[in-house]
Amino acid sequence: FAAKGRPADHPLIVHLAGHDAVDHWAEQVPAVAWELMETFWPGPLTLILKKQAWVPDAVTGGQDTVGLRVPGHPVALELLRRFAAVAGEHAGIAAPSANRFGRISPTTAEHVREELGDAVPLVLDGGPCKVGIESTIVDCSRGEPVVLRPGHISPLHLEAILGRRPAIETAVGAPRVSGSLEAHYAPVTPLRMVTGERLLDFINAQRHRGGKCAVISANQPPQAGMPHAWRLMPADPVGYAHDLYAALRDMDHAGVDLIVVEALPEGAEWAAVADRLRRAVAGAGQG
């Protein structure tokens, strides 16, 4: 909490070595939650469940729910297994992403060092993140499963298991979860989202005003009116998500006055990337 500047009431996700530990942390685990675990764990899915009474408020932000996940990365799993061998077979590591609170999430060990510096004594380098964005968070604590944070596991993936597409909810009444603040994942440089048909005019207007801008887009740059920097992104949502935070970080260091992101295509498959960019726009320029 100190290293990140993280508010004390913001809940953490508990990372486990396997789903055998779930009953130790959660009570009244519904059958649908076990189905999701069997299908997507280890992997980028966090489940919100009613917590056991002993789980500390520091983990849950004082709520009656807890977020649980079994990560898919072999280094993370080995760390969790070794920890459980020492601390008890059901032990977990409650942890957030390794960045300053509200800022761009790291996807390499170098990003963590750059962000947190000497505030952390050790960085365990497991290589670049394979997915690139945070886990999908599904609330199973209130009856029907509800997506509280979109991620790599999309509503379409969940629909295949649930038999129906779950709602995406950010309304009051849902448990507070990691990454759910309106302003989050943000660069220090101001950030704007601009539609494709307006992009060239917008860039030219910035140039005529003497402002330097950087563009993040899945399309090739125009020959005329080139901005200061252009980051060409993959045209598919999985590839775009993988590269998103590295692109934001690079453009934040490009010495520009404004980062311009070309608006994303419509569609459920883009929901996770759209969620991160919306929050980044809300939080940008506040550092």
Side-chain angles (χ1 to χ4, degrees):
F1 284 88
K4 285 176 60 72
R6 186 182 179 90
D9 66 347
H10 206 61
L12 302 172
I13 294 170
V14 178
H15 300 77
L16 305 171
H19 59 266
D20 294 348
V22 166
D23 283 328
H24 179 69
W25 290 85
E27 63 176 19
Q28 303 169 9
V29 180
V32 68
W34 291 111
E35 287 184 59
L36 293 172
M37 290 178 224
E38 293 291 342
T39 305
F40 297 113
W41 283 2
L45 176 70
T46 296
L47 296 179
I48 304 299
L49 301 163
K50 289 292 184 185
K51 76 179 184 80
Q52 291 284 3
W54 71 268
V55 179
D57 286 349
V59 171
T60 67
Q63 302 178 110
D64 65 354
T65 55
V66 63
L68 302 177
R69 181 158 96 89
V70 177
H73 195 286
V75 174
L77 281 173
E78 184 63 18
L79 173 67
L80 290 162
R81 289 179 188 129
R82 293 193 188 195
F83 179 65
V86 174
E89 61 178 325
H90 298 135
I93 296 177
S97 54
N99 59 319
R100 286 181 297 125
F101 184 72
R103 291 302 169 200
I104 305 169
S105 298
T107 52
T108 68
E110 182 184 358
H111 294 162
V112 178
R113 276 288 178 224
E114 173 189 300
E115 189 86 8
L116 298 179
D118 294 335
V120 293
L122 175 72
V123 176
L124 181 61
D125 187 354
C129 290
K130 291 184 172 66
V131 173
I133 57 173
E134 299 78 6
S135 60
T136 303
I137 299 180
V138 177
D139 179 14
C140 293
S141 71
R142 298 175 293 152
E144 284 289 306
V146 174
V147 176
L148 300 184
R149 180 176 73 185
H152 180 72
I153 295 172
S154 71
L156 299 175
H157 294 130
L158 296 169
E159 182 180 9
I161 304 305
L162 302 173
R164 58 203 174 281
R165 190 174 302 183
I168 299 177
E169 180 183 324
T170 56
V172 174
R176 296 190 313 279
V177 294
S178 296
S180 61
L181 296 181
E182 197 58 34
H184 214 65
Y185 314 116
V188 174
T189 308
L191 182 68
R192 283 283 302 275
M193 187 92 72
V194 177
T195 61
E197 57 267 24
R198 289 188 56 237
L199 185 61
L200 186 56
D201 288 342
F202 187 88
I203 293 168
N204 282 329
Q206 287 294 117
R207 188 181 57 168
H208 290 317
R209 280 198 292 266
K212 286 185 177 180
C213 72
V215 176
I216 296 174
S217 170
N219 294 302
Q220 293 286 345
Q223 293 304 307
M226 281 289 291
H228 183 71
W230 190 285
R231 178 65 175 257
L232 183 63
M233 300 292 284
D236 66 288
V238 173
Y240 196 113
H242 179 273
D243 292 0
L244 173 62
Y245 289 140
L248 286 173
R249 197 172 284 270
D250 287 349
M251 297 298 97
D252 206 18
H253 294 162
V256 296
D257 308 305
L258 181 68
I259 301 170
V260 181
V261 180
E262 183 173 354
L264 301 171
E266 299 290 331
E269 67 274 19
W270 287 93
V273 174
D275 172 80
R276 302 312 190 276
L277 279 174
R278 179 175 60 80
R279 297 178 199 276
V281 168
Q286 297 177 17

